[in-house]
């Protein structure tokens, strides 16, 4: 199982990017070995949350650590059985430590309004 | 001729200008009023139209037969709008993201995708104050305004002067309204917000190759940067409407300005003559 931390930079020292679908980078981390791989996000103009969720499912991610997720991403991640941890702050490494110590809460619903799907 | 009354910023006075322009012009020639702000139409509050037709506007949605679907993901890959996802062995469809283009059905190798239809809103037509009035109404909870605007624009009578009250902003609904107009009459206010959003609206109109004229509303607040910008960009300012309590009072009770203050009729007739010069 892999974790995905949304980040503003390419490594674990970067700050967590609070927007899931339009995050700058996705850091895929193996929680056992702490080996990390970086994917640069390329969100499209429409449906970035669904697009990012599909990427998580395709990459076998088991849990997402981010700031907030919109309704479409929430539904997609749920359907894929991917755990969602929001309200993550600080660096990606801080988020990882909080996850490993079990202090991050999971969510029971979308934590932000959608963006892109609006005025289309 | 199609005159689109638009603005980048919301609440600058588009409806005030469009309604009074239509009322003034209707005394000298045949006009038609088209309220394209389908997310929040409000011109009816001032023109009190009687509607006699209402046509439903729908969009197409993919109808995926789960028994035939092989979950190959071709449709997910093909969708420009990320309206489809393949998650946990299930196909997911996001109706608010779907633009109804039908591409998913074309690429499906299994022939598992048919079509269903989803109601977005309606187009209503009728008459107001002696001239035709049309508007679109997007259902509450729907996000896709453009199919309604496209359907609404089919009601435009090419033989009349059509006044289009555009949606605010510079996103798809505003672009759909401006597209094909003969002139964009951009209403702004002389503030930094007004200038910023006017600039965005000017960019859209220029990209669409629609000639531009400006009306400054609430003149007297803010500063002179909008006027300076228009001069620098060679955009004519056709009128300035003062920041005036009596104008706000008429608006608040749904009375068109030229009904409340008849001397404004001449100003709007002059504005109409000048906007036609810009369009020509």
């Amino acid at each position: 199982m892999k974790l995905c931390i949304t980040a503003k930079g390419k490594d674990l020292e970067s700050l967590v990017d609070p927007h899931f679908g339009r995050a700058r980078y996705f850091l895929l981390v193996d929680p056992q070995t702490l080996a990390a791989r970086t994917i640069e996000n390329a969100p499209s103009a429409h449906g970035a949350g669904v697009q990012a969720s599909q990427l998580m499912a395709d990459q076998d991610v088991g849990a997402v650590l981010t700031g907030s997720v919109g309704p479409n991403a929430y539904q997609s991640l749920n359907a894929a059985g991917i755990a969602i941890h929001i309200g993550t702050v600080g660096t990606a490494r801080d988020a990882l430590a909080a996850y490993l110590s079990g202090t991050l809460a999971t969510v029971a619903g979308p934590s932000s309004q959608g963006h892109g799907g609006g005025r289309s | 001729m199609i005159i689109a009354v638009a603005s980048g910023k919301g609440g600058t006075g588009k409806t005030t200008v469009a309604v009074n322009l239509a009322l003034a012009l209707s005394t000298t020639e045949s006009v038609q009023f088209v309220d394209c702000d389908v997310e929040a139409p409000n011109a009816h509050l001032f023109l009190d139209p009687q509607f006699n037709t209402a046509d439903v506007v729908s969009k197409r949605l993919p109808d995926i037969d789960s028994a035939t679907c092989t979950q190959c993901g071709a449709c997910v890959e093909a969708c420009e709008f990320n309206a489809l996802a393949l998650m946990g062995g299930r196909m997911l469809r996001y109706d608010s993201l779907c633009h109804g283009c039908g591409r998913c059905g074309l690429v499906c190798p299994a022939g598992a995708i048919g079509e269903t239809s989803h109601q977005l809103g309606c187009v209503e037509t009728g008459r107001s104050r002696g001239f035709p009035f049309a508007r679109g109404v997007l259902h509450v909870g729907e996000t896709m305004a453009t199919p309604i605007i496209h359907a609404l624009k089919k009601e435009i009578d090419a033989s009349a002067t059509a006044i289009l009250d555009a949606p605010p902003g510079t996103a798809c609904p505003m672009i759909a309204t401006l597209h094909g107009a003969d002139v964009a009459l951009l209403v702004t206010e002389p503030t930094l917000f007004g200038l910023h959003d006017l600039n965005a609206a000017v960019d859209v109109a220029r990209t669409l190759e629609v000639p531009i004229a400006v009306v400054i509303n609430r003149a007297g607040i803010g500063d002179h940067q909008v006027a300076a910008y228009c001069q620098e960009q060679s955009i004519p300012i056709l009128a300035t409407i003062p920041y005036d309590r009596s104008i706000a009072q008429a608006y608040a009770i749904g009375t068109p300005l030229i009904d409340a203050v008849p001397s404004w009729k001449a100003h709007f007739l002059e504005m109409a003559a000048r906007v036609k010069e810009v369009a020509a």
Side-chain angles (χ1 to χ4, degrees):
Chain A
M1 196 274 276
K2 271 178 283 193
L3 301 175
C4 174
I5 308 170
T6 58
K8 293 182 173 179
K10 295 180 179 177
D11 56 42
L12 286 171
E13 308 316 318
S14 331
L15 291 175
V16 169
D17 193 324
H19 306 288
F20 172 63
R22 298 191 183 279
R24 190 77 199 280
Y25 295 98
F26 297 119
L27 307 183
L28 303 189
V29 183
D30 181 323
Q32 260 81 52
T33 66
L34 301 188
R37 188 160 68 84
T38 306
I39 297 178
E40 186 168 0
N41 192 14
S44 75
H46 303 268
V50 176
Q51 183 188 16
S53 303
Q54 184 72 62
L55 179 68
M56 298 300 114
D58 294 344
Q59 294 287 332
D60 278 328
V61 167
V64 167
L65 281 56
T66 188
S68 66
V69 295
N72 289 334
Y74 174 78
Q75 190 196 341
S76 304
L77 292 170
N78 252 354
I82 298 171
I84 306 167
H85 301 274
I86 59 154
T88 313
V89 290
T91 65
R93 193 176 294 284
D94 295 336
L96 181 61
Y99 174 83
L100 293 173
S101 68
T103 56
L104 278 183
T106 54
V107 288
S111 55
S112 70
Q113 297 297 314
H115 302 292
R119 315 273 305 197
S120 49
Chain B
M1 171 175 292
I2 300 174
I3 301 171
V5 182
S7 72
K9 187 180 174 301
T12 56
K14 284 180 299 300
T15 302
T16 296
V17 168
V19 161
N20 288 286
L21 201 58
L23 284 172
L25 258 186
S26 72
T27 61
T28 62
E29 63 181 72
S30 83
V31 304
Q32 178 190 24
F33 195 95
V34 186
D35 192 345
C36 293
D37 188 2
V38 304
E39 288 169 86
N42 67 339
H44 61 283
L45 297 173
F46 301 93
L47 293 172
D48 196 24
Q50 302 295 309
F51 293 112
N52 44 44
T53 72
D55 293 320
V56 168
V57 179
S58 301
K59 72 172 174 183
R60 304 183 300 165
L61 286 175
D63 184 16
I64 303 172
D65 177 18
S66 56
T68 320
C69 172
T70 62
Q71 302 199 343
C72 69
C75 56
V76 174
E77 187 66 29
C79 183
E80 285 287 310
F81 304 102
N82 294 299
L84 294 170
L86 179 58
M87 292 280 182
R90 256 195 325 140
M91 283 299 306
L92 299 178
R93 185 185 80 190
Y94 295 87
D95 294 0
S96 66
L97 293 172
C98 178
H99 283 53
C101 71
R103 190 178 185 191
C104 50
L106 292 174
V107 302
C108 177
I113 302 183
E115 262 177 15
T116 177
S117 159
H118 175 75
Q119 280 193 18
L120 292 173
C122 65
V123 167
E124 296 174 319
T125 65
R127 291 186 76 78
S128 158
R129 307 274 296 253
F131 52 83
F133 183 107
R135 69 166 185 174
V137 183
L138 184 69
H139 285 334
V140 171
E142 294 295 339
T143 57
M144 200 157 295
T146 47
I148 296 182
I149 295 167
H150 291 143
L152 179 61
K153 288 180 77 176
K154 289 186 182 141
E155 302 292 333
I156 292 176
D157 173 6
S159 69
T161 298
I163 313 282
L164 273 49
D165 192 3
T170 48
C172 300
M174 181 268 200
I175 293 167
T177 303
L178 245 59
H179 186 80
D182 294 298
V183 59
L185 187 52
L186 302 179
V187 185
T188 187
E189 57 178 39
T191 61
L192 275 179
F193 287 129
L195 176 61
H196 178 274
D197 291 358
L198 171 65
N199 190 23
V202 164
D203 281 349
V204 170
R206 285 192 172 146
T207 303
L208 296 173
E209 297 180 346
V210 176
I212 304 161
V214 161
V215 171
I216 297 179
N217 189 19
R218 299 197 191 93
I221 64 168
D223 55 30
H224 298 288
Q225 291 189 64
V226 167
Y229 166 84
C230 289
Q231 186 169 23
E232 177 194 303
Q233 298 284 324
S234 303
I235 298 170
I237 298 171
L238 303 193
T240 54
I241 302 172
Y243 185 56
D244 184 314
R245 188 179 177 92
S246 67
I247 296 174
Q249 281 173 329
Y251 181 91
I253 56 170
T255 301
L257 178 55
I258 68 171
D259 289 349
V261 188
S263 60
W264 272 99
K265 185 181 164 186
H267 297 302
F268 279 99
L269 278 174
E270 190 194 333
M271 191 194 298
R274 292 193 62 194
V275 80
K276 285 183 173 187
E277 283 169 22
V278 173

